[in-house]
Amino acid sequence: MRRGLLVPLIGLTVLLGAGHSQSWAAPTAQATTAVPESVQAVVTGLDSAASQKNIDAVMAFYDPSFSTPDGLTAQILRQQLPLFWQPYAEIRYSTRVDRWQQQGEDWVVEVTTTIDGKGGSGDRPQTIRGTLQATQTIRNGKILRQDITSEKTTISIGSTPPTVQFSLPQQVRPGEDFSLDAIVQEPIGNAILLGAASDQPINAQTYTNPGPVKLELLAAGGIFKVGRAPQQPGNRWISVALIRDTGMVLITQRLRVGNP
């Protein structure tokens, strides 16, 4: 179960990277300013390669030394990305360049990516919808570094999966309490509803070997939790699974722990 919650994040991560926030050029503010051709070529090429599920073409846009503060490397990306693609017969990546800045020979770029996928069988369809915002550092047409600022992925499985209202902050301070609410919108009635929630650090180990999730019978129509952020800054994956007889929903969101 946890694998299904985790791997979509890796699929989204393929398109993004790390940077700063000074002297940006923004297409929304400067309509006459075009995205640099070298930057647009990377973004467009990655969208196309990932949408075609072509792992060799995707990895051609990554420097061999590529890494992230979360522990993601080019090697992990090559291993895990095909596992994410496997359930989806159709998948589409779409990336928008929001801002960019040149630093010497590097481009530091802010990007928003969405991903939509459809798969499964006729009686058990599966869809994915994800949104991710991050920055990336590009040099000579290859991504060197990345830092994701927000991401959320929803996987729906089955003929009539639950409709879920999901509430979680994107960032909290170290040691701060936070609330997680995942509320099923349809009446439950006498139906059985199973659910689970998990909180894991984002690092090399959880990218490749996520821990299990234990499902429990829910007395109410959703999951309501109060958590406490760790004292040390970092990033965590907060995930929920809600399952009924006609389908299931799996939601994962990144929680950033740090001072604003």
Side-chain angles (χ1 to χ4, degrees), residues 3-259:
R3 170 71 66 180
L5 295 172
L6 171 63
V7 173
L9 300 176
I10 299 175
L12 285 172
T13 298
V14 71
L15 298 174
L16 302 165
H20 309 278
S21 57
Q22 57 182 5
S23 302
W24 293 97
T28 55
Q30 301 181 22
T32 60
T33 303
V35 177
E37 290 185 6
S38 60
V39 171
Q40 190 62 57
V42 173
V43 170
T44 302
L46 271 173
D47 278 349
S48 177
S51 297
Q52 296 175 40
K53 299 193 284 188
N54 186 332
I55 186 62
D56 289 333
V58 166
M59 297 311 301
F61 289 98
Y62 284 86
D63 189 88
S65 65
F66 168 78
S67 64
T68 76
D70 294 333
L72 182 66
T73 64
Q75 181 180 6
I76 294 174
L77 193 60
R78 176 178 283 277
Q79 292 172 346
Q80 296 297 319
L81 188 54
L83 297 178
F84 161 69
W85 287 334
Q86 189 172 7
Y88 304 103
E90 300 177 11
I91 197 161
R92 175 176 172 78
Y93 287 76
S94 179
T95 302
R96 181 185 73 236
V97 178
D98 298 317
R99 296 195 296 178
W100 61 88
Q101 174 193 29
Q102 189 167 16
Q103 295 183 349
E105 60 182 332
D106 297 340
W107 286 102
V108 181
V109 186
E110 285 190 357
V111 187
T112 299
T113 294
T114 59
I115 180 172
D116 290 282
K118 296 180 180 180
S121 59
D123 60 346
R124 190 176 171 83
Q126 179 169 332
T127 64
I128 182 172
R129 172 73 175 179
T131 304
L132 183 150
Q133 293 180 320
T135 55
Q136 65 184 22
T137 300
I138 300 172
R139 180 185 299 168
N140 297 326
K142 295 183 180 293
I143 298 175
L144 298 175
R145 295 182 299 275
Q146 77 175 16
D147 184 26
I148 299 172
T149 55
S150 70
E151 75 183 317
K152 181 181 177 182
T153 305
T154 301
I155 298 175
S156 298
I157 303 174
S159 59
T160 314
T163 304
V164 178
Q165 179 181 329
F166 184 83
S167 177
L168 178 75
Q170 291 190 2
Q171 182 167 341
V172 294
R173 297 176 183 273
E176 182 180 1
D177 291 343
F178 63 92
S179 297
L180 164 65
D181 295 330
I183 306 169
V184 176
Q185 299 297 284
E186 299 88 358
I188 300 302
N190 295 324
I192 293 176
L193 181 66
L194 301 175
S198 70
D199 172 6
Q200 289 195 329
I202 306 177
N203 53 40
Q205 181 178 357
T206 53
Y207 270 117
T208 59
N209 188 29
V213 167
K214 182 179 179 181
L215 292 169
E216 299 178 351
L217 181 63
L218 300 179
I223 295 175
F224 310 91
K225 299 283 188 181
V226 175
R228 175 165 294 178
Q231 295 296 330
Q232 297 298 320
N235 293 311
R236 306 187 72 82
W237 275 320
I238 310 298
S239 303
V240 299
L242 290 162
I243 302 174
R244 65 183 187 190
D245 58 348
T246 59
M248 66 180 70
V249 171
L250 315 173
I251 303 174
T252 298
Q253 181 174 312
R254 177 177 293 245
L255 177 67
R256 295 172 65 90
V257 180
N259 295 312

